[in-house]
């Protein structure tokens, strides 16, 4: 049992009013620039392009083929893309994996527009109202990873502004910072412990495979899921759920029950 596309994923956009949100261009400025960017990519592809701007910190570029063209989701930093990067976008959508390097170089050069980093040395908050993620981490590391992921930090993400969301990103692994953050919507007494365990296990599995294969940031298997999500230059992962990943994920005994609970309670989690 897998989550529907775009519903359960890994990290939320900045809260309205935050420094990251203030970096977004105004609607009046963004709309004509986005329309022009869509026109340029469409001309290169020879297909209609339906473009949506995002401030998604985990996935800077994603696309989905439609019967009438391509649906393209781009981080707003690509509004400033030069011709070489626009060409790379079109090539990436067309299936040219070599274009990834151009997109990653561009996003790396503009990393300040993607996300403010946590203050160096500031520890993640591990103890919540209901769950202690430090204890969860230690138990899962000993049970499933033979101590290999003990150096990864695991903690609660900052609580976003209260609003109803169409999507919610429940947890994720940042390969550059070697840390896992879990959405605070899961820190409540109505959430089964095995669900929190599964979210942390899933993220730690990304960490373990990244360390073992060194492919998680920009390897040949990245972007093979539906939608072709792209890893960002800072190392935050999109969905790299390869057959090897899924085979190891199956070792979690309540995986299907966790997915079922998450899907059944999605509306409540979105409300935070």
């Amino acid at each position: 049992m897998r989550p529907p596309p775009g519903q359960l994923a890994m990290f939320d956009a900045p809260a309205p009013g935050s420094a990251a949100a203030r970096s977004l261009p105004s609607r009046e400025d963004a709309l004509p620039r986005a329309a022009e960017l869509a026109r340029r990519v469409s001309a290169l592809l020879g297909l209609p392009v339906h473009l949506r701007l995002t401030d998604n910190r985990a996935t800077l570029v994603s696309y989905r083929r439609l019967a009438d063209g391509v649906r393209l989701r781009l981080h707003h930093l690509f509004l400033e893309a030069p011709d070489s990067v626009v060409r790379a976008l079109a090539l990436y959508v067309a299936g040219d994996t070599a274009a990834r390097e151009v997109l990653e170089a561009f996003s790396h050069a503009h990393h300040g527009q993607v996300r403010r980093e946590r203050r160096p040395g500031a520890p993640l908050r591990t103890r919540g109202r209901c769950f202690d993620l430090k204890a969860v981490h230690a138990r899962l590391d000993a049970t499933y990873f033979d101590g290999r992921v003990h150096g990864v930090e695991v903690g609660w993400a900052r609580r976003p502004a209260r609003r109803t969301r169409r999507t919610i990103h429940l947890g994720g692994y940042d390969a550059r910072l070697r840390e896992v953050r879990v959405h605070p919507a899961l820190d409540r007494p109505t959430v089964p412990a095995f669900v929190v365990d599964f979210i942390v296990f899933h993220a730690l599995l990304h960490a373990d495979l990244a360390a073992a294969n060194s492919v998680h940031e920009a390897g040949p298997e990245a972007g093979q899921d539906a939608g072709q999500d792209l890893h960002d230059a800072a190392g935050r992962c999109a969905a790299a759920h390869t057959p090897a990943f899924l085979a190891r994920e199956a070792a979690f005994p309540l995986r299907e029950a966790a997915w079922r609970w998450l899907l059944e309670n999605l509306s409540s989690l979105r409300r935070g």
Side-chain angles (χ1 to χ4, degrees):
M1 183 177 185
R2 307 305 300 168
Q7 287 195 336
L8 299 174
M10 314 282 163
F11 262 108
D12 221 343
S18 69
R22 288 194 296 270
S23 69
L24 281 166
S26 68
R27 179 179 177 84
E28 293 76 13
D29 182 41
L31 284 178
R33 295 166 65 190
E36 173 61 16
L37 179 56
R39 185 196 64 77
R40 293 164 67 194
V41 177
S42 177
L44 290 166
L45 284 172
L47 293 170
V49 171
H50 309 274
L51 176 63
R52 180 175 179 181
L53 294 178
T54 77
D55 200 39
N56 189 321
R57 297 170 296 182
T59 305
L60 302 185
V61 179
S62 66
Y63 69 87
R64 188 176 299 278
R65 297 186 182 278
L66 306 172
D68 61 342
V70 174
R71 179 181 297 137
L72 180 61
R73 291 170 57 90
L74 292 177
H75 193 279
H76 66 85
L77 69 87
F78 283 93
L79 289 177
E80 302 177 4
D83 288 342
S84 59
V85 175
V86 175
R87 285 194 297 273
L89 281 170
L91 288 170
Y92 181 71
V93 172
D96 185 346
T97 57
R100 174 188 299 276
E101 294 183 6
V102 177
L103 302 181
E104 289 179 340
F106 179 76
S107 62
H108 179 72
H110 294 78
H111 70 276
Q113 293 175 247
V114 176
R115 175 178 142 192
R116 291 182 303 155
E117 297 298 348
R118 184 165 53 88
R119 188 176 76 255
L124 289 173
R125 180 176 65 90
T126 60
R127 186 177 293 277
R129 293 180 304 163
C130 302
F131 297 100
D132 181 353
L133 294 182
K134 183 177 182 180
V136 171
H137 177 198
R139 175 165 42 79
L140 294 176
D141 186 24
T143 303
Y144 297 103
F145 300 100
D146 296 326
R148 291 189 302 274
V149 292
H150 69 279
V152 176
E153 287 192 74
V154 179
W156 295 103
R158 290 179 296 178
R159 184 171 294 278
R162 294 191 64 84
R163 58 190 175 93
T164 299
R165 306 167 186 83
R166 289 182 298 173
T167 63
I168 182 168
H169 302 272
L170 295 173
Y173 171 59
D174 187 318
R176 185 161 64 90
L177 297 178
R178 283 183 56 76
E179 66 181 29
V180 169
R181 279 159 289 167
V182 180
H183 198 291
L186 294 172
D187 187 28
R188 47 178 142 176
T190 55
V191 178
F194 70 84
V195 171
V196 176
D197 282 4
F198 175 68
I199 293 296
V200 176
F201 169 81
H202 181 103
L204 290 175
L205 183 53
H206 277 302
D208 192 39
L209 288 174
N213 302 324
S214 299
V215 300
H216 198 53
E217 292 185 54
E221 295 177 318
Q224 291 182 349
D225 284 9
Q228 297 291 298
D229 290 347
L230 175 68
H231 296 69
D232 73 17
R236 287 173 288 275
C237 67
H241 299 150
T242 63
F245 180 98
L246 295 175
R248 288 191 55 187
E249 188 189 58
F252 188 83
L254 294 174
R255 177 183 64 167
E256 300 304 321
W259 276 126
R260 186 162 51 249
W261 187 93
L262 289 167
L263 293 174
E264 290 173 353
N265 292 272
L266 180 61
S267 296
S268 174
L269 292 171
R270 283 173 179 165
R271 291 192 296 268

